[in-house]
Amino acid sequence: MFVTSASPDDNRPAPFPLDERWGWVNCEEEGFEGFAIYVRKNLRNDERAALVEEHDKILAYQIEYMELPLPEREGKPSPRDRERVLIAPYIRDWNATGLDETGNPVPVPPPAAAGPEVFDAIYPEMFDWIVRHVLLGYRAGKGVGSWRV
């Protein structure tokens, strides 16, 4: 139970909105400088706990998955697939571009809009960087920022 003391209204600070905060984070990986994601930079404690719990389930699934013989893995989502599904909603935009059929650069739609399959359009190192900044950043309670693991 929380115990609070009454305070005069004239000393009460303005309300503090617990809004979602989104922002651009730039990739620091060698060879991928310039790549950036527009990502949620803050999570409430309950949101972070739920995300960490889901990621922990993926880690446990990875152990089970790797113990399966190769034929039994067929048709099952890989741990990487499950990770993609988990983090796709957090990547609302990015500056990734591909080429259209005539060789002109075109934006690659972000995972939050196009779904986790769009991660196939980027390099594995880029996806690994996204995972570190989204999942591990939230796990540490530091939010997403420009920090190295």
Side-chain angles (χ1 to χ4, degrees):
M1 181 159 108
F2 293 100
V3 178
T4 60
S5 60
S7 63
D9 286 343
D10 57 342
N11 290 331
R12 184 175 183 83
F16 184 84
L18 299 175
D19 298 337
E20 293 180 2
R21 294 181 185 155
W22 293 80
W24 287 97
V25 178
N26 296 309
C27 183
E28 300 169 341
E29 293 296 311
E30 187 177 334
F32 300 102
E33 300 90 347
F35 175 63
I37 55 176
Y38 189 73
V39 62
R40 176 117 179 249
K41 297 183 93 169
N42 68 333
L43 291 180
R44 295 186 322 261
N45 287 324
D46 60 339
E47 293 171 315
R48 184 168 54 109
L51 184 64
V52 168
E53 181 179 336
E54 287 304 310
H55 191 240
D56 286 347
K57 288 178 186 176
I58 292 170
L59 295 176
Y61 173 74
Q62 181 174 1
I63 294 167
E64 296 168 17
Y65 183 85
M66 296 309 290
E67 290 175 350
L68 290 174
L70 286 176
E72 288 184 38
R73 290 184 199 171
E74 256 185 68
K76 293 183 185 285
S78 71
R80 185 81 146 193
D81 293 335
R82 288 185 175 195
E83 209 169 48
R84 290 174 174 203
V85 168
L86 182 63
I87 66 170
Y90 294 92
I91 312 301
R92 196 176 271 182
D93 200 1
W94 59 11
N95 63 346
T97 59
L99 298 176
D100 67 13
E101 24 329 297
T102 59
N104 296 313
V106 293
V108 175
E117 297 80 17
V118 77
F119 285 121
D120 288 339
I122 65 173
Y123 296 105
E125 298 88 350
M126 296 165 77
F127 180 72
D128 292 341
W129 172 78
I130 291 171
V131 170
R132 282 196 308 274
H133 278 73
V134 175
L135 294 176
L136 300 179
Y138 292 144
R139 176 182 282 280
K142 297 179 181 180
V144 175
S146 200
W147 54 275
R148 291 193 176 273
V149 186

